[in-house]
Each structure stands twice: as structure tokens, then as C-alpha cells.
Amino acid sequence: MTPSLASLPIIVIILLIVSSLTSGNAHDYQDALSKAILFFEGQRSGVLPHFQRMTWRDNSGLSDGWTYNVDLTGGYYDAGDNVKFGFPMAFTTTMLAWSVIEFGDSMPPAELRNSMVAIRWATDYLLKTVSQLPNRIFVQVGDPNIDHNCWERPEDMDTARTVYAVDAPNPASEVAGETAAALAASSMAFRSYDPGYSETLIRNAVKAFEYADSNRGAYSDNSNIRDGVCPFYCDFDGYQDELLWGAAWLRRATQDGSFLDYIQNNGKTLGAEDTINEFGWDNKHAGLNVLVSKEVIEGNMYNLASYKASADSFMCSLVPESSSSHIEYTPGGLIYKPGGSNLQHSTTITFLILVYANYLARTSQTLNCGNINVSPTWLRQQAKKQVDYILGDNPMGMSYMVGYGDRYPQRIHHRGSSLPSVKDHPQVIACKEGSVYFNSSNPNPNVLVGAIVGGPGEDDVYEDNREDFRKSEPTTYINAPFVGVLAYFVANPSP
């Protein structure tokens, strides 16, 4: 029997009213999806295509690679600077491809096409970075210490475009392993669209993985490149997870038994059973466990059951009512991890929640968290709370996606966005001449539509301050998993 409102406590009535006001389809997920993908056009390096929609950008980095007599043009700038860091770019690519693999069917056709274009902009570049394997992999273009000392448009770059290469037998396991994952996942995304390109991607993925596995170790331990990658994208969490991650993606893309054997036989020695509840450009553990769990849940591969147990443990850590709960939330309900750029954690974890919920739902399973059972529907509802928070349902009442909604960050930490466009100001703005724009309190003149900033602090507070890069800088690896997440909610706005 359903109780009448009169019989309910007043606080419950208030909560019901608030819930009814906020549970409608308040957000335009399709609009957010199109903008999340559009963002990548603002991060492009190289010769921009004729169909470039972010028209305030222009060609840049056209001589990248010349010191090695190799073409390393293209790819993406990782954030608000003008450096092409291979490690996070490869992770971004993996997540864009995984978004299409899991949620491409939910995307409107135009946005699926745009997603494929965004992936290919990255993979075309990544193929260049592995073009000299088996003996050399290129891991970065641009000296970040010099670059970060300037505030200039990518179109005006006059800083050293130093090329960072790793030659065998020097290790680069995390970059090569993540590149293998990116190319393998992308080969799956392209399989039905461009089989020839798909085959090129998988062939090079295998070469990248072989380098990673044969020359084990962290690329940031190499003295010749350490000063260029640290502290920006140093390997803080070890290279072992990228070996398993690369092998898991190669297994998924090829169905080759040798990669199945690899993730089964090397799991313990490479730390797969370590309880690490994190997923991002440096730490693949939670994502690895969810990815491999598909084999257990849908394929009954019980020899990989330890991966599913770890995935279950991770999901249960997100459930506040669970005895194993230990993920922090802000008072407003946002997943929070100490450090900068917090929304990278929210978007990656939300992606994993939805993927895992799909795996469970397809086999009519639930998640057992000791004292409670958690359904796929509950997981999806938690994911929706994270999405809606990012899009504006938060204590600040603002969207953390630039260009979405009525109120969003105006002063993001991003060179191209904050400086006048070359279309409006064709004269060169030299290294230090951009400081006046950096220090200005004016809104950025160029709107980097779709960019998701680092986001608020643990108190849900966000100051729209260009100088506070931890909160105001967008990154490709914040956006990439959010593409898949938004695609799901386009098709399922009320899970």
C-alpha cells in the first residue's frame, strides 16, 4: 500500500518534492554530447582540416619531428598548454574508442561520425610515434618547462619543439603499453567503418605492446627524457598496470589466446590483485578489472575471476551504504579525490560504473556488496548524479562544461582560448606578451566549447580564476570518458 502524503514526515515530503523537481529530463544530454566531442577540435595540433568547426584555431606545430627527420605533426595538446604528451594522449584515445565500442549505438549518427573523426586525429598521430618500432618510440613533442614559461597561442609557438624518443633497450612500458591499448581499442571502433585502417591499427598495437613488454620499466626513469616528462606526466604508479591493460585490449580486439594467457599468467606478478580504486591516465587498475570482467560475466572465463572480484570491490567502494565504502564525496555529491583536476576522477569512474552496469544487466546479475545487493539500475542512477552535477546540478549552480547551460567558467586556464584569435589578431603575440591576457580579469575571448575544467574543490566551491589551473584547466582525458557517458544518457535519460 502506498502511504498518503499526510502520513509522511515533513522532511520526507520535502525530499520527494525536490526529487520530483530534479528527476525530470532537465539536461539536454545530446547537446552536451555534441559539445564534449567538439572540444577536441580546439585541442588539435597540425594542419587543421577544411571542416574545422572551432574556427578561432589555426594550423600549429607544423615542424614537429624535424630534429629526427620524421613527421610528428598532428595529435592533441593535452590541456591548456602547447605540449603533446604521448602518455595522456594515448589514454585519451583509448577512452574515446572505448566510448564508441560500448556506447556508439546510443550516439546520434552525426555525433558517432564526429567521435570517429576525433579518434582518428589521435590515432593518425600515434601511428607516427610507433613508426620506428621495434627500436624506437616517440613519447612527447615540446619542452614543457620552456612552454610553461610562456603564455602564447599554439599558432605563434616559438619555443623549442623538443622531440622525446625512447630507444631500445631503454624502457617505456607505460607509454608503449597505453599506445598499444589505444590502437587496439581504436581498431575495434574502426572495424566496420574502415577495415583496412583497423588492420593497420591492430598491427601497430602489437608492435607497441612488444616494445612495452620486452623493455620493461618506466619511461620517466630515463635520464634523457625525465626532465621533460616530470613532474607533468611522470609515471607515479608503476608501469605494470599498462602491460596488463595493453594485453587486455589486444585480447579484446583480436580474441587471441596468447593475450588471454598473458593477463591470466601475469596478473599476480604485475599487481592485478592490488586493491587500487583509481582509474586515469596513470593508473589503469580499476579500468583493467572492469574490462577483463566482461570475459567472466559474459564469457564465463572463470580463470579470470580475480579480475571480476577486484571490479566488484571497486564498485562496492562507491556505495555509501556498503561496509566497504571508502570513496570520498563532496557535500554536493561529487566523487572527490585529493589533488588537482578532480573531474578527471568523476568522469572516468562514472564511465566505469555505466560499463559495468551494462555487463551485469545483460546477464541479469546484481552486485553483492556484503551487507547489500546493488542493481545495475542503482549504479546507473549514481552515474546520472555525477553527470548532472557536472552539467549544473551542484551547489554553485554552474555547468563545468564550457558553453553548456547559462552559467559556466569564463576564465579557463587555456592559452588559445584566453588570447585573441589569430583570425582577429594576426600579429604574433610573443612568449611574454601574452601575460597581459593571462593576468586579465576579462572572460576568455574564444569559447572552448565543450571543455570540462578541473572542477570544484572538496567543498564544492569553484572560483572562476584563470590562475588556478588545478580547477580551471580543461584536459582531453577529462572529456574523453564523458563522451561515452553522455552517449548512454542520450538514449537513457531516466535510468
Side-chain angles (χ1 to χ4, degrees):
M1 186 176 86
T2 304
S4 67
L5 280 179
S7 68
L8 294 173
I10 185 66
I11 186 63
V12 175
I13 296 173
I14 292 171
L15 287 172
L16 286 171
I17 293 170
V18 171
S19 175
S20 69
L21 290 174
T22 61
S23 63
N25 300 337
H27 287 292
D28 186 341
Y29 297 118
Q30 186 165 327
D31 180 52
L33 171 64
S34 65
K35 287 173 175 170
I37 300 166
L38 177 60
F39 157 74
F40 289 94
E41 295 192 14
Q43 299 302 112
R44 284 173 170 164
S45 182
V47 178
L48 301 188
H50 65 87
F51 50 83
Q52 170 83 7
R53 295 175 293 168
M54 202 80 81
T55 54
W56 50 267
R57 282 294 324 281
D58 210 337
N59 302 337
S60 62
L62 301 185
S63 63
D64 286 358
W66 73 270
T67 52
Y68 275 81
N69 197 30
V70 64
D71 175 14
L72 291 176
T73 58
Y76 292 115
Y77 304 117
D78 74 300
D81 53 21
N82 300 325
V83 183
K84 296 191 305 202
F85 293 97
F87 194 15
M89 197 195 306
F91 176 69
T92 292
T93 311
T94 307
M95 295 311 298
L96 280 173
W98 200 3
S99 291
V100 167
I101 292 165
E102 299 288 351
F103 304 111
D105 290 346
S106 299
M107 294 181 183
E111 298 314 331
L112 180 57
R113 281 195 303 276
N114 289 332
S115 296
M116 300 302 294
V117 169
I119 295 169
R120 183 149 189 168
W121 195 267
T123 52
D124 281 351
Y125 173 79
L126 292 176
L127 287 173
K128 296 176 181 180
T129 69
V130 298
S131 62
Q132 295 188 3
L133 287 177
N135 298 314
R136 173 182 288 159
I137 181 170
F138 297 101
V139 298
Q140 185 171 313
V141 180
D143 183 326
N145 297 292
I146 298 174
D147 179 272
H148 289 181
N149 196 39
C150 291
W151 196 260
E152 61 183 353
R153 303 174 295 200
E155 295 84 358
D156 287 338
M157 274 189 295
D158 52 6
T159 54
R161 298 300 287 169
T162 307
V163 174
Y164 296 83
V166 179
D167 294 329
N170 292 302
S173 293
E174 64 287 89
V175 185
E178 184 62 68
T179 300
L183 296 175
S186 298
S187 77
M188 294 181 66
F190 274 101
R191 192 167 289 157
S192 60
Y193 296 95
D194 189 337
Y197 189 65
S198 175
E199 181 58 36
T200 297
L201 293 173
I202 199 66
R203 188 172 63 251
N204 282 276
V206 171
K207 289 200 301 185
F209 181 76
E210 287 172 349
Y211 188 100
D213 196 37
S214 301
N215 305 284
R216 291 190 180 187
Y219 84 133
S220 51
D221 288 345
N222 294 331
S223 58
N224 60 325
I225 65 170
R226 182 176 179 82
D227 290 344
V229 300
C230 294
F232 314 101
Y233 293 103
C234 232
D235 181 4
F236 298 102
D237 289 319
Y239 63 86
Q240 295 88 341
D241 52 328
E242 276 83 24
L243 291 176
L244 292 168
W245 178 241
W249 271 110
L250 281 162
R251 159 64 183 169
R252 179 126 173 216
T254 65
Q255 291 299 298
D256 190 315
S258 65
F259 295 114
L260 178 64
D261 292 341
Y262 188 98
I263 55 179
Q264 182 181 334
N265 299 335
N266 291 281
K268 202 174 286 278
T269 56
L270 294 177
E273 294 180 18
D274 296 350
T275 305
I276 300 176
N277 294 319
E278 195 169 327
F279 183 48
W281 60 264
D282 187 34
N283 196 318
K284 311 298 155 31
H285 281 277
L288 167 70
N289 292 326
V290 168
L291 178 68
V292 176
S293 292
K294 180 179 169 67
E295 301 246 23
V296 184
I297 296 170
E298 298 182 6
N300 298 319
M301 288 278 191
Y302 295 115
N303 53 350
L304 299 172
S306 63
Y307 288 92
K308 182 183 182 298
S310 295
D312 285 349
S313 173
F314 172 66
M315 291 297 155
C316 290
S317 75
L318 300 166
V319 182
E321 298 82 7
S322 166
S323 55
S324 56
S325 169
H326 64 78
I327 295 287
E328 288 182 50
Y329 291 86
T330 67
L334 180 69
I335 290 171
Y336 183 80
K337 283 183 172 288
S341 194
N342 180 61
L343 286 184
Q344 66 179 304
H345 304 299
S346 178
T347 61
T348 54
I349 290 172
T350 301
F351 181 91
L352 294 184
I353 291 171
L354 288 176
V355 170
Y356 207 60
N358 275 1
Y359 294 167
L360 293 174
R362 283 201 287 266
T363 52
S364 302
Q365 296 184 43
T366 58
L367 177 65
N368 181 262
C369 294
N371 52 329
I372 57 171
N373 272 334
V374 175
S375 68
T377 298
W378 187 93
L379 290 172
R380 289 162 172 161
Q381 288 168 344
Q382 300 314 300
K384 187 176 188 296
K385 289 177 183 176
Q386 296 301 305
V387 174
D388 290 350
Y389 182 108
I390 292 171
L391 295 181
D393 294 358
N394 56 62
M396 296 294 294
M398 72 185 302
S399 161
Y400 292 110
M401 176 187 283
V402 173
Y404 176 86
D406 298 326
R407 188 164 179 252
Y408 50 82
Q410 303 285 324
R411 299 163 187 84
I412 66 173
H413 184 96
H414 189 278
R415 287 158 177 75
S417 171
S418 67
L419 291 156
S421 166
V422 290
K423 308 292 174 67
D424 300 324
H425 188 293
Q427 299 81 12
V428 170
I429 301 174
C431 172
K432 293 299 184 183
E433 291 176 358
S435 299
V436 64
Y437 299 100
F438 175 77
N439 294 321
S440 168
S441 60
N442 293 332
N444 289 7
N446 308 307
V447 181
L448 185 59
V449 175
I452 304 172
V453 296
E458 60 188 327
D459 54 1
D460 293 303
V461 173
Y462 181 85
E463 302 89 6
D464 192 3
N465 180 0
R466 194 177 294 114
E467 294 183 32
D468 188 356
F469 67 90
R470 289 180 177 84
K471 291 183 176 181
S472 64
E473 188 170 19
T475 72
T476 57
Y477 47 87
I478 297 177
N479 267 65
F482 211 54
V483 168
V485 168
L486 289 169
Y488 174 81
F489 286 110
V490 166
N492 307 277
S494 300

